[in-house]
Amino acid sequence: MRVVAALGGNALLKRGEKQSVANQWANVRVAAAQLAEIVMAGHQLVITHGNGPQVGMLALQSEAGPSDAQAPLDVLDAESEGMIGYMIEQQMRNRLPAGAKVATLLTHVRVDASDPAFKKPQKPIGAVYSKAEAARIKAERGWQMTADGDGWRRVVASPEPLEILQQPEIAVLMAAGVTVICAGGGGIPCVRDANGFLTGAEAVVDKDRCSGLLATLLGADRLLMLTDVDATYLGFGTPNARAIRRSDPTSLRGHRSDFRAGTMGPKIDGAIQFVTSTGGLAGIGRLEDAANILRGVAGTIVDPLAKRLQFAG
């Protein structure tokens, strides 16, 4: 099978963990152990990943320097894509047999400069703050902040991905037997001007929507969206929360308003888009359960033949 596996930024740097390089290495090792199983089982694999915690950390570092050295988000997206891609590639090479082919590819993703997301930022990035800390940072830096779980985080624009510029190159690499790491952080957002020239966009493209588009373009059989929760829930965070084990796209779309923008919502959108377009299966669940999600025995499985929502238990 041809599999696209999207690693959540929060799976690589977990909520509440210290934002240290050591913690990222530890989480990447867990990811590589799971993903290497997929390759060694004979499947073609493309790995994408989030960058929410990491790009937020880079933004803080950039803000702390001289004003003329501060980097825009597209440059920080590229930095995080290179950094995380390096870590994943190294650990995949450590897990796979000698001679296995692995490559990391910086990926441009075209967005529309008039996308309404630029006027309504909803993508959380960076560290989790208390309400008081968030208010102070908003006043000092002018960043937009929003409640996220028990804390507050910065939010930035997350426009819809329209085109993955390196998709032909990714297909060539796959045909050559390469495990490709690409579209990190949803890719590097860019727009075309009237002359067709590319310029960076001040945004972070959601990696789940980008991964769904990429999986569709590549004709993948499976799309895995791996995060730090075991499944998709209705009523998440409430006493009445119920884990969805299987659903068809139509039933899931009927509950779209139950899933939060910027977090689980884009995973649902990516899964629905992929399954509806290709007839393949999508799975959402914990990074540690990747192999079992691929087998359809863990996580939430979006299946065109499921007919209805099916809950755990």
Side-chain angles (χ1 to χ4, degrees), residues 120-143:
K120 190 179 180 182
Q122 292 185 311
K123 175 67 177 175
I125 66 170
V128 179
Y129 301 100
S130 69
K131 187 174 183 179
E133 288 174 323
R136 174 180 58 79
I137 290 169
K138 181 177 181 179
E140 289 177 354
R141 303 179 185 272
W143 290 355

PDB file of all heavy atoms in Angstrom, residues 120-143:
ATOM      1  N   LYS A 120      -8.745  36.083   9.873  1.00  0.00           N
ATOM      2  CA  LYS A 120      -9.308  35.401  11.037  1.00  0.00           C
ATOM      3  C   LYS A 120      -8.366  34.281  11.463  1.00  0.00           C
ATOM      4  O   LYS A 120      -8.632  33.108  11.209  1.00  0.00           O
ATOM      5  CB  LYS A 120     -10.701  34.857  10.725  1.00  0.00           C
ATOM      6  CG  LYS A 120     -11.444  34.341  11.946  1.00  0.00           C
ATOM      7  CD  LYS A 120     -12.832  33.848  11.573  1.00  0.00           C
ATOM      8  CE  LYS A 120     -13.569  33.342  12.816  1.00  0.00           C
ATOM      9  NZ  LYS A 120     -14.926  32.816  12.467  1.00  0.00           N
ATOM     10  N   PRO A 121      -7.252  34.600  12.111  1.00  0.00           N
ATOM     11  CA  PRO A 121      -6.294  33.570  12.525  1.00  0.00           C
ATOM     12  C   PRO A 121      -6.921  32.568  13.494  1.00  0.00           C
ATOM     13  O   PRO A 121      -7.601  32.972  14.451  1.00  0.00           O
ATOM     14  CB  PRO A 121      -5.184  34.369  13.210  1.00  0.00           C
ATOM     15  CG  PRO A 121      -5.332  35.762  12.676  1.00  0.00           C
ATOM     16  CD  PRO A 121      -6.801  35.955  12.460  1.00  0.00           C
ATOM     17  N   GLN A 122      -6.685  31.264  13.248  1.00  0.00           N
ATOM     18  CA  GLN A 122      -7.256  30.232  14.107  1.00  0.00           C
ATOM     19  C   GLN A 122      -6.272  29.103  14.417  1.00  0.00           C
ATOM     20  O   GLN A 122      -6.606  28.202  15.179  1.00  0.00           O
ATOM     21  CB  GLN A 122      -8.503  29.619  13.456  1.00  0.00           C
ATOM     22  CG  GLN A 122      -9.690  30.560  13.363  1.00  0.00           C
ATOM     23  CD  GLN A 122     -10.914  29.853  12.811  1.00  0.00           C
ATOM     24  OE1 GLN A 122     -10.855  29.168  11.789  1.00  0.00           O
ATOM     25  NE2 GLN A 122     -12.037  30.000  13.483  1.00  0.00           N
ATOM     26  N   LYS A 123      -5.071  29.139  13.852  1.00  0.00           N
ATOM     27  CA  LYS A 123      -4.114  28.035  14.030  1.00  0.00           C
ATOM     28  C   LYS A 123      -3.243  28.273  15.260  1.00  0.00           C
ATOM     29  O   LYS A 123      -2.432  29.205  15.288  1.00  0.00           O
ATOM     30  CB  LYS A 123      -3.235  27.928  12.780  1.00  0.00           C
ATOM     31  CG  LYS A 123      -2.121  26.884  12.893  1.00  0.00           C
ATOM     32  CD  LYS A 123      -2.676  25.478  12.965  1.00  0.00           C
ATOM     33  CE  LYS A 123      -1.542  24.452  12.989  1.00  0.00           C
ATOM     34  NZ  LYS A 123      -2.063  23.087  13.173  1.00  0.00           N
ATOM     35  N   PRO A 124      -3.374  27.429  16.318  1.00  0.00           N
ATOM     36  CA  PRO A 124      -2.531  27.620  17.505  1.00  0.00           C
ATOM     37  C   PRO A 124      -1.087  27.189  17.230  1.00  0.00           C
ATOM     38  O   PRO A 124      -0.847  26.137  16.626  1.00  0.00           O
ATOM     39  CB  PRO A 124      -3.172  26.694  18.551  1.00  0.00           C
ATOM     40  CG  PRO A 124      -4.496  26.279  17.988  1.00  0.00           C
ATOM     41  CD  PRO A 124      -4.360  26.363  16.505  1.00  0.00           C
ATOM     42  N   ILE A 125      -0.144  27.993  17.678  1.00  0.00           N
ATOM     43  CA  ILE A 125       1.264  27.621  17.583  1.00  0.00           C
ATOM     44  C   ILE A 125       1.945  27.972  18.904  1.00  0.00           C
ATOM     45  O   ILE A 125       1.444  28.779  19.682  1.00  0.00           O
ATOM     46  CB  ILE A 125       2.005  28.320  16.412  1.00  0.00           C
ATOM     47  CG1 ILE A 125       2.085  29.839  16.636  1.00  0.00           C
ATOM     48  CG2 ILE A 125       1.341  28.010  15.080  1.00  0.00           C
ATOM     49  CD1 ILE A 125       3.008  30.562  15.664  1.00  0.00           C
ATOM     50  N   GLY A 126       3.099  27.371  19.122  1.00  0.00           N
ATOM     51  CA  GLY A 126       3.927  27.744  20.255  1.00  0.00           C
ATOM     52  C   GLY A 126       3.489  27.143  21.572  1.00  0.00           C
ATOM     53  O   GLY A 126       2.708  26.185  21.639  1.00  0.00           O
ATOM     54  N   ALA A 127       4.018  27.721  22.641  1.00  0.00           N
ATOM     55  CA  ALA A 127       3.818  27.210  23.992  1.00  0.00           C
ATOM     56  C   ALA A 127       2.400  27.484  24.484  1.00  0.00           C
ATOM     57  O   ALA A 127       1.666  28.307  23.930  1.00  0.00           O
ATOM     58  CB  ALA A 127       4.831  27.858  24.934  1.00  0.00           C
ATOM     59  N   VAL A 128       2.030  26.767  25.548  1.00  0.00           N
ATOM     60  CA  VAL A 128       0.755  26.986  26.235  1.00  0.00           C
ATOM     61  C   VAL A 128       1.007  27.911  27.425  1.00  0.00           C
ATOM     62  O   VAL A 128       1.909  27.675  28.229  1.00  0.00           O
ATOM     63  CB  VAL A 128       0.154  25.650  26.724  1.00  0.00           C
ATOM     64  CG1 VAL A 128      -1.155  25.894  27.461  1.00  0.00           C
ATOM     65  CG2 VAL A 128      -0.061  24.701  25.545  1.00  0.00           C
ATOM     66  N   TYR A 129       0.201  28.985  27.524  1.00  0.00           N
ATOM     67  CA  TYR A 129       0.382  29.985  28.575  1.00  0.00           C
ATOM     68  C   TYR A 129      -0.840  30.029  29.487  1.00  0.00           C
ATOM     69  O   TYR A 129      -1.938  29.591  29.123  1.00  0.00           O
ATOM     70  CB  TYR A 129       0.554  31.380  27.952  1.00  0.00           C
ATOM     71  CG  TYR A 129       1.716  31.519  27.010  1.00  0.00           C
ATOM     72  CD1 TYR A 129       1.527  31.478  25.628  1.00  0.00           C
ATOM     73  CD2 TYR A 129       3.012  31.707  27.489  1.00  0.00           C
ATOM     74  CE1 TYR A 129       2.596  31.613  24.749  1.00  0.00           C
ATOM     75  CE2 TYR A 129       4.088  31.845  26.625  1.00  0.00           C
ATOM     76  CZ  TYR A 129       3.866  31.793  25.248  1.00  0.00           C
ATOM     77  OH  TYR A 129       4.924  31.927  24.387  1.00  0.00           O
ATOM     78  N   SER A 130      -0.644  30.593  30.666  1.00  0.00           N
ATOM     79  CA  SER A 130      -1.788  30.914  31.512  1.00  0.00           C
ATOM     80  C   SER A 130      -2.523  32.112  30.907  1.00  0.00           C
ATOM     81  O   SER A 130      -1.990  32.810  30.032  1.00  0.00           O
ATOM     82  CB  SER A 130      -1.326  31.254  32.930  1.00  0.00           C
ATOM     83  OG  SER A 130      -0.615  32.493  32.926  1.00  0.00           O
ATOM     84  N   LYS A 131      -3.720  32.367  31.384  1.00  0.00           N
ATOM     85  CA  LYS A 131      -4.494  33.489  30.857  1.00  0.00           C
ATOM     86  C   LYS A 131      -3.767  34.810  31.089  1.00  0.00           C
ATOM     87  O   LYS A 131      -3.733  35.682  30.210  1.00  0.00           O
ATOM     88  CB  LYS A 131      -5.881  33.517  31.498  1.00  0.00           C
ATOM     89  CG  LYS A 131      -6.824  34.547  30.882  1.00  0.00           C
ATOM     90  CD  LYS A 131      -8.230  34.419  31.456  1.00  0.00           C
ATOM     91  CE  LYS A 131      -9.185  35.407  30.789  1.00  0.00           C
ATOM     92  NZ  LYS A 131     -10.565  35.273  31.340  1.00  0.00           N
ATOM     93  N   ALA A 132      -3.149  34.951  32.262  1.00  0.00           N
ATOM     94  CA  ALA A 132      -2.428  36.192  32.579  1.00  0.00           C
ATOM     95  C   ALA A 132      -1.200  36.351  31.677  1.00  0.00           C
ATOM     96  O   ALA A 132      -0.914  37.450  31.184  1.00  0.00           O
ATOM     97  CB  ALA A 132      -2.018  36.196  34.041  1.00  0.00           C
ATOM     98  N   GLU A 133      -0.463  35.258  31.470  1.00  0.00           N
ATOM     99  CA  GLU A 133       0.709  35.311  30.600  1.00  0.00           C
ATOM    100  C   GLU A 133       0.295  35.661  29.168  1.00  0.00           C
ATOM    101  O   GLU A 133       0.962  36.448  28.484  1.00  0.00           O
ATOM    102  CB  GLU A 133       1.432  33.966  30.602  1.00  0.00           C
ATOM    103  CG  GLU A 133       2.175  33.649  31.884  1.00  0.00           C
ATOM    104  CD  GLU A 133       2.748  32.241  31.882  1.00  0.00           C
ATOM    105  OE1 GLU A 133       2.079  31.326  31.347  1.00  0.00           O
ATOM    106  OE2 GLU A 133       3.856  32.058  32.398  1.00  0.00           O
ATOM    107  N   ALA A 134      -0.811  35.051  28.704  1.00  0.00           N
ATOM    108  CA  ALA A 134      -1.286  35.319  27.348  1.00  0.00           C
ATOM    109  C   ALA A 134      -1.651  36.793  27.174  1.00  0.00           C
ATOM    110  O   ALA A 134      -1.348  37.400  26.142  1.00  0.00           O
ATOM    111  CB  ALA A 134      -2.496  34.434  27.034  1.00  0.00           C
ATOM    112  N   ALA A 135      -2.298  37.371  28.183  1.00  0.00           N
ATOM    113  CA  ALA A 135      -2.673  38.788  28.116  1.00  0.00           C
ATOM    114  C   ALA A 135      -1.429  39.670  28.050  1.00  0.00           C
ATOM    115  O   ALA A 135      -1.389  40.661  27.306  1.00  0.00           O
ATOM    116  CB  ALA A 135      -3.533  39.149  29.318  1.00  0.00           C
ATOM    117  N   ARG A 136      -0.408  39.311  28.838  1.00  0.00           N
ATOM    118  CA  ARG A 136       0.828  40.105  28.830  1.00  0.00           C
ATOM    119  C   ARG A 136       1.529  40.020  27.471  1.00  0.00           C
ATOM    120  O   ARG A 136       1.969  41.041  26.912  1.00  0.00           O
ATOM    121  CB  ARG A 136       1.774  39.597  29.926  1.00  0.00           C
ATOM    122  CG  ARG A 136       3.152  40.262  29.922  1.00  0.00           C
ATOM    123  CD  ARG A 136       4.032  39.728  31.028  1.00  0.00           C
ATOM    124  NE  ARG A 136       4.213  38.290  30.955  1.00  0.00           N
ATOM    125  CZ  ARG A 136       5.063  37.687  30.112  1.00  0.00           C
ATOM    126  NH1 ARG A 136       5.784  38.398  29.250  1.00  0.00           N
ATOM    127  NH2 ARG A 136       5.198  36.371  30.131  1.00  0.00           N
ATOM    128  N   ILE A 137       1.613  38.815  26.908  1.00  0.00           N
ATOM    129  CA  ILE A 137       2.284  38.627  25.616  1.00  0.00           C
ATOM    130  C   ILE A 137       1.512  39.342  24.508  1.00  0.00           C
ATOM    131  O   ILE A 137       2.111  39.953  23.609  1.00  0.00           O
ATOM    132  CB  ILE A 137       2.428  37.129  25.322  1.00  0.00           C
ATOM    133  CG1 ILE A 137       3.447  36.503  26.279  1.00  0.00           C
ATOM    134  CG2 ILE A 137       2.847  36.884  23.873  1.00  0.00           C
ATOM    135  CD1 ILE A 137       3.481  34.999  26.249  1.00  0.00           C
ATOM    136  N   LYS A 138       0.192  39.292  24.571  1.00  0.00           N
ATOM    137  CA  LYS A 138      -0.623  39.993  23.570  1.00  0.00           C
ATOM    138  C   LYS A 138      -0.343  41.493  23.613  1.00  0.00           C
ATOM    139  O   LYS A 138      -0.204  42.142  22.567  1.00  0.00           O
ATOM    140  CB  LYS A 138      -2.104  39.710  23.813  1.00  0.00           C
ATOM    141  CG  LYS A 138      -3.018  40.379  22.795  1.00  0.00           C
ATOM    142  CD  LYS A 138      -4.478  39.997  23.037  1.00  0.00           C
ATOM    143  CE  LYS A 138      -5.380  40.651  22.001  1.00  0.00           C
ATOM    144  NZ  LYS A 138      -6.811  40.283  22.200  1.00  0.00           N
ATOM    145  N   ALA A 139      -0.245  42.025  24.812  1.00  0.00           N
ATOM    146  CA  ALA A 139       0.022  43.462  24.958  1.00  0.00           C
ATOM    147  C   ALA A 139       1.429  43.821  24.505  1.00  0.00           C
ATOM    148  O   ALA A 139       1.646  44.861  23.864  1.00  0.00           O
ATOM    149  CB  ALA A 139      -0.190  43.874  26.414  1.00  0.00           C
ATOM    150  N   GLU A 140       2.406  42.956  24.812  1.00  0.00           N
ATOM    151  CA  GLU A 140       3.796  43.254  24.482  1.00  0.00           C
ATOM    152  C   GLU A 140       4.112  43.059  23.004  1.00  0.00           C
ATOM    153  O   GLU A 140       4.845  43.842  22.402  1.00  0.00           O
ATOM    154  CB  GLU A 140       4.721  42.356  25.319  1.00  0.00           C
ATOM    155  CG  GLU A 140       4.770  42.696  26.796  1.00  0.00           C
ATOM    156  CD  GLU A 140       5.635  41.724  27.576  1.00  0.00           C
ATOM    157  OE1 GLU A 140       6.107  40.715  26.977  1.00  0.00           O
ATOM    158  OE2 GLU A 140       5.845  41.950  28.784  1.00  0.00           O
ATOM    159  N   ARG A 141       3.577  42.001  22.413  1.00  0.00           N
ATOM    160  CA  ARG A 141       3.983  41.614  21.064  1.00  0.00           C
ATOM    161  C   ARG A 141       2.909  41.839  19.998  1.00  0.00           C
ATOM    162  O   ARG A 141       3.182  41.738  18.802  1.00  0.00           O
ATOM    163  CB  ARG A 141       4.403  40.138  21.041  1.00  0.00           C
ATOM    164  CG  ARG A 141       5.519  39.798  22.027  1.00  0.00           C
ATOM    165  CD  ARG A 141       5.870  38.308  21.971  1.00  0.00           C
ATOM    166  NE  ARG A 141       6.843  37.944  22.990  1.00  0.00           N
ATOM    167  CZ  ARG A 141       8.149  38.004  22.842  1.00  0.00           C
ATOM    168  NH1 ARG A 141       8.643  38.430  21.693  1.00  0.00           N
ATOM    169  NH2 ARG A 141       8.960  37.653  23.815  1.00  0.00           N
ATOM    170  N   GLY A 142       1.683  42.071  20.439  1.00  0.00           N
ATOM    171  CA  GLY A 142       0.601  42.243  19.475  1.00  0.00           C
ATOM    172  C   GLY A 142       0.103  40.945  18.875  1.00  0.00           C
ATOM    173  O   GLY A 142      -0.624  40.949  17.879  1.00  0.00           O
ATOM    174  N   TRP A 143       0.466  39.818  19.471  1.00  0.00           N
ATOM    175  CA  TRP A 143       0.032  38.517  18.960  1.00  0.00           C
ATOM    176  C   TRP A 143      -1.423  38.263  19.342  1.00  0.00           C
ATOM    177  O   TRP A 143      -1.880  38.643  20.424  1.00  0.00           O
ATOM    178  CB  TRP A 143       0.893  37.401  19.539  1.00  0.00           C
ATOM    179  CG  TRP A 143       2.308  37.391  19.022  1.00  0.00           C
ATOM    180  CD1 TRP A 143       2.843  38.191  18.056  1.00  0.00           C
ATOM    181  CD2 TRP A 143       3.370  36.539  19.464  1.00  0.00           C
ATOM    182  NE1 TRP A 143       4.165  37.888  17.854  1.00  0.00           N
ATOM    183  CE2 TRP A 143       4.516  36.879  18.702  1.00  0.00           C
ATOM    184  CE3 TRP A 143       3.473  35.530  20.415  1.00  0.00           C
ATOM    185  CZ2 TRP A 143       5.737  36.231  18.876  1.00  0.00           C
ATOM    186  CZ3 TRP A 143       4.688  34.886  20.589  1.00  0.00           C
ATOM    187  CH2 TRP A 143       5.807  35.229  19.824  1.00  0.00           C
TER     188      TRP A 143
END
